[in-house]
Amino acid sequence: MTIPTIDIQQTGANIKTLRKAAGIKVKDMADALGVTPQAVAKWQAGAALPTIDNLVILAAMLDTKIDDILVIA
């Protein structure tokens, strides 16, 4: 059985692309999620992943599904 893993770099790129397409600024996204702009920057850079609850909110903000944000390798 192959165990799936999350491609953090590509997931971060997806967050950045979807955020820009939605016309949302990093600070506005951070404020809505209750995190710092630095946290959003880390997600976009592939240095960290948002928590599950933040993924749910991100999907709603970006009008997409969590599956469209996460990249499974």
Side-chain angles (χ1 to χ4, degrees):
M1 176 172 100
T2 303
I3 298 174
T5 58
I6 297 172
D7 183 331
I8 298 173
Q9 294 291 321
Q10 191 56 51
T11 296
N14 281 355
I15 292 170
K16 185 175 185 176
T17 300
L18 291 165
R19 177 188 60 75
K20 285 184 172 188
I24 301 171
K25 295 179 181 179
V26 170
K27 183 176 181 343
D28 294 335
M29 179 175 277
D31 289 346
L33 293 165
V35 299
T36 64
Q38 291 83 0
V40 174
K42 283 183 180 181
W43 300 342
Q44 293 183 152
L49 286 170
T51 59
I52 296 293
D53 54 334
N54 282 336
L55 276 172
V56 171
I57 297 167
L58 276 173
M61 284 179 72
L62 300 171
D63 194 30
T64 193
K65 296 179 282 186
I66 292 174
D67 289 351
D68 296 330
I69 298 172
L70 292 175
V71 177
I72 308 298

